[in-house]
Amino acid sequence: MCGIVGYIGEKQAAPILLDGLARLEYRGYDSAGVAVYHDGKIEMVKASGRLSVVADMTDNGKSLKGTVGIGHTRWATHGSPTDVNAHPHFNEKESIVVVHNGIIENFQRLKSILMGYGYAFLSDTDTEVIAHLLDFYYKGNPLDAISKAMQRMEGSYALGIIFKEFPDNLFAVRKDSPLIVGKTSDGSILASDVPAILNYTRDVYYIENEEIVRMSASSMEFFNIDEKELIKEPVHINWDADAAEKGGYEFFMLKEINEQPKAVSDTFSPRIKNDIVDIEDLNLSDEEIRNINKLHVVACGSAWHTGMTAKYIYEGLAGIPVEVDLASEFRYRDPILPEGTLLIIISQSGETADSLAALRLAKKKGIKVLAIVNVVGSSIAREADIVFYTMAGPEIAVATTKAYSCQLIAHYLLAMKFAHVRGKISDVELKEMISAMRELPGKINTLIGEKERIQRFANRYLAAKDVFFMGRGIDYAISLEGSLKLKEISYIHSDAYAAGELKHGTISLIEDGSLVIAILTQKDLYAKTVSNIVEVKSRKAFVMVVTNESNKEAESVADYMVYIPETNKYFANSLAIIPLQLLAYYISLGKGLDVDKPRNLAKSVTVE
Ligand code: G6P
């Protein structure tokens, strides 16, 4: 996830670009850059680090003359956050310059084709491919070049483009990444999101998929991919700037919950090709996969919960023994890591001190480390042997939601790949799992759509003192995360239990009205967990059940039902966690707490 802006008009462009980028920094903040046309030349300034670096280099934009320009704030996806990889990107002649938000999924293929034509690449980014592709198709007509390039690019993109030979125009285009444009009193402006332009206009045009915009200081024209002109109506924005940064949501957490369908899809889409799981870039050969004797999964917090889920999947699907460890425990014992162990570290930030220490310990013992990480170029990403990036984009709320969901997807894909290579699942079974995975974003969306019902339920429990979560197998792992979400942002004590353990102690805490949340997504375990529900019911607990649509067994014993759509049994966590995230969110909201910044907690725990 990145932020783009562009301006063409009567005023100096660079200060407007920097101002807009500052408002988009929540979309990415590992590098930034601007490019401005002036006096027959496109000048570019870009650097790794926060936007302030570019602001300092340009005297807050004042040193860059020119009234047409584009800018970018980056959240690295392809290539680490270095100066060279920062946007904008040029073609070789420096006559076309591009900023990009999104992911070009077929960039490797396009890159090798372009290299075959003699194009040289400076960066590791997918975006540089766009600049060269436009160059390849440019024969004097920018619209033609853009339309032809669009027909070759797969994936998502919002682009701002300047052609040196057309300095009176600024071009923009989008597919599956957000883009808005607007007329200001003195020009035209484009951005990834509303906050960047609120200081200049409140009337915006939302650009739809595969639409092209040609802007000048005084005009704005819209075209479809066939260069046919379109008529569009502006929309008036009433939000204030603060609300706009959160996309109109009151808290980032709810925004991020809502971003899950896209984040999940962005994580699996580039890795599914022709009905197989493609992890070629990870440098993990089929032979190595066949030789794995044990997986040792290490992480902290919610990332550890995805590891707990993954244990059932790697074992059940791929037949590989799995040990799951808390990083803070792993690092202070002498873990036995036999030959053929693959260590999997999971971390959103890639900077968690205990996880990093665990990685170093494993490497010292000569064990190969695969990291599932969200932040490109982070310490864990740099030090791991293999990195599987999740595509959640920046996560601001301390309580993780979308990064957690993307980590689950990473595990599913790895387990499917391992199982297939090791002959544990057939081509047909793999294909079925892939199509079940493709349905997850839509199903997550459906569950998010039921948020008002969850909010009504949440409002009844604002004064709860204790909440108990229980489940078996994957449902136990889901319970762990549901419980953590609730306690960290609502300050209500809650715990998660493997349902069979209840009778070994916890049941003594159950009293009249205690809220018990039971998770039942695993068909073979329904009956067992139902009998645990009966046990707590007979101690007068109030039981909320989260289960599959088809399960009618729990209805007779539950007090409140939440149904999730059917999916592959290994993917159930991706759906069952949604109502639990919403429950935690609405309880915290109802209590008037700071949902995004719970007391005593930090997003990234870089100390022990
Ligand atoms: C903190 C965050 C959690 C996260 C954990 C591990 O406690 O609040 O959301 O799960 O750290 O962080 P990591 O960045 O390694 O995933």
Side-chain angles (χ1 to χ4, degrees), residues 456-472:
R456 281 196 296 277
F457 182 81
N459 285 338
R460 284 159 52 184
Y461 281 92
L462 303 183
K465 292 260 171 305
D466 303 286
V467 179
F468 304 92
F469 288 76
M470 66 170 177
R472 290 166 187 261

Side-chain angles (χ1 to χ4, degrees), residues 300-303 346-352 355 398-400 407 485 488 602-603 605:
C300 301
S302 297
I346 314 146
S347 177
Q348 185 284 128
S349 62
E351 301 294 348
T352 303
S355 303
V398 165
T400 178
Q407 287 165 1
K485 280 297 83 104
E488 66 181 336
K603 182 76 188 154
V605 186

Side-chain angles (χ1 to χ4, degrees), residues 253 260 300-309 395 398-405 407-408 469-470 474-489 494-497 519 573-574 576-582 584:
M253 182 176 174
Q260 287 179 111
C300 301
S302 297
W304 177 71
H305 295 156
T306 72
M308 289 293 285
T309 308
E395 198 177 54
V398 165
T400 178
T401 52
K402 59 175 182 167
Y404 170 87
S405 286
Q407 287 165 1
L408 289 174
F469 288 76
M470 66 170 177
I474 288 181
D475 294 338
Y476 170 48
I478 299 170
S479 301
L480 286 166
E481 176 64 4
S483 167
L484 181 67
K485 280 297 83 104
L486 181 66
K487 78 177 87 167
E488 66 181 336
I489 59 170
S494 87
D495 260 314
Y497 297 91
I519 318 295
N573 192 340
S574 294
I577 199 60
I578 306 297
L580 303 182
Q581 293 171 343
L582 290 166

